[in-house]
Amino acid sequence: MQYILSLSYGKDSLACLGAIELLGWPLDRIVHSEVWATDTLPADLPPMVEFKVRADAIIKARWGIPVERVRAERTAEQMFYHVRTRGNRAGERMGWPMVAFANRGCELQKALKVSPMNRLLHDAVTYLGIAADEPGRLKGLSEIRKSPLAAAGWTEARCRRWCEENGLLAPIYAKTARSGCWFCPNQTIMQLRSLRRDYPELWALMLRWDADSPVCFKAHGHPLRDYDCRFQMEDRGLLLPSDTGFRWSKVDTKKEVSF
């Protein structure tokens, strides 16, 4: 039986290394399931990509275990353009995965992240980054799905402190940004605004995908191009980003978007 840490590079999964060390639990492998947007673009933003390289070096030097990376055969772009063969959307491209968020989780995450990891973790004891103060998630633990953090009594706040003390706090926490894929529809307006400003090439790719999607980017019915129109109006001073009384009726969504 192997003992494997499922590593996401978030504060809780990284802090598992400290908890495992404290508890004296066995650890054979450290595995990370990595999602790719296209064949050449990772789903992580550049600061997170750079952080993973630094974290890998720290982990190898201190614990002597290299981080293994697994990935699905398909990319998010390939999934996006995949034509469904079953269900009431048979014959349609998958498009944006937001419709799957409500009860079943993200289709892309299941296919591109969870499935490759599950195949690897078969017949192994898996260590998961579930903190002691996450009672809902702790219910899913078992003899082969263990939480070193819960066993050590480490809360999310304790995990963050451990990461800070060991140089392993990801850049996403410095800006209070969400982790995950840069193309995820589940981002806030602030995150989308920052993505467009800081990574225009990624934003342009999302606009191309948006034009080909049979479903809206957001579940409330607004495609990504509507957000682009809104941000263009903000650039021209016609709207304020801090406008708490914002209404979509203020945005000229018929404006031509160039990408």
Side-chain angles (χ1 to χ4, degrees):
M1 181 74 73
Q2 286 195 322
Y3 296 83
I4 302 176
L5 170 61
S6 176
L7 184 68
S8 70
Y9 291 94
K11 60 178 176 43
D12 296 341
S13 71
L14 281 165
C16 281
L17 290 163
I20 290 168
E21 190 173 54
L22 178 69
L23 295 166
W25 284 8
L27 178 62
D28 298 309
R29 300 167 68 186
I30 303 170
V31 182
H32 172 63
S33 185
E34 195 161 59
V35 178
W36 282 74
T38 70
D39 288 330
T40 58
L41 286 173
D44 290 306
L45 289 173
M48 193 64 188
V49 173
E50 294 166 6
F51 169 74
K52 286 181 176 182
V53 174
R54 295 197 305 272
D56 286 356
I58 293 172
I59 292 169
K60 178 67 182 300
R62 179 167 172 180
W63 287 275
I65 302 175
V67 177
E68 303 172 44
R69 306 219 182 162
V70 297
R71 59 176 290 185
E73 294 180 359
R74 290 186 289 182
T75 66
E77 185 173 62
Q78 289 169 335
M79 287 286 293
F80 186 99
Y81 286 99
H82 172 73
V83 176
R84 297 178 185 271
T85 58
R86 292 181 293 180
N88 57 9
R89 288 183 55 199
E92 281 188 3
R93 290 171 175 163
M94 179 178 145
W96 296 117
M98 189 65 184
V99 291
F101 268 70
N103 299 311
R104 295 172 289 125
C106 175
E107 289 176 295
L108 290 184
Q109 181 174 348
K110 286 185 176 182
L112 303 181
K113 188 172 184 178
V114 177
S115 292
M117 182 66 83
N118 285 345
R119 287 194 294 270
L120 182 71
L121 298 179
H122 184 65
D123 291 332
V125 173
T126 307
Y127 296 144
L128 303 170
I130 302 176
D133 52 351
E134 295 183 280
R137 297 183 64 206
L138 290 172
K139 293 177 182 178
L141 298 179
S142 66
E143 287 300 311
I144 59 171
R145 288 169 52 86
K146 297 178 178 291
S147 169
L149 303 175
W154 285 19
T155 63
E156 289 192 81
R158 177 68 183 89
C159 292
R160 177 166 182 146
R161 287 199 305 274
W162 184 90
C163 288
E164 290 174 334
E165 293 164 358
N166 290 272
L168 287 170
L169 188 67
I172 57 172
Y173 299 105
K175 293 185 177 181
T176 64
R178 68 186 300 279
S179 61
C181 305
W182 49 260
F183 47 82
C184 180
N186 207 30
Q187 297 178 76
T188 66
I189 183 69
M190 291 180 61
Q191 290 158 354
L192 291 171
R193 187 181 288 115
S194 296
L195 179 68
R196 178 178 177 270
R197 180 191 65 234
D198 299 336
Y199 303 99
E201 71 286 356
L202 300 182
W203 185 260
L205 178 57
M206 287 176 65
L207 283 172
R208 292 191 183 97
W209 290 354
D210 193 61
D212 293 333
S213 178
V215 294
C216 274
F217 181 68
K218 290 285 190 179
H220 54 50
H222 285 280
L224 187 69
R225 63 160 289 126
D226 285 3
Y227 286 88
D228 195 73
C229 290
R230 174 178 177 175
F231 298 150
Q232 286 185 37
M233 292 182 71
E234 291 176 359
D235 292 343
R236 293 158 55 198
L238 300 176
L239 287 175
L240 294 176
S242 58
D243 182 3
T244 56
F246 172 79
R247 297 289 183 274
W248 278 106
S249 58
K250 299 179 181 181
V251 179
D252 180 8
T253 56
K254 295 183 174 60
K255 179 179 174 60
E256 194 68 30
V257 179
S258 58
F259 51 85

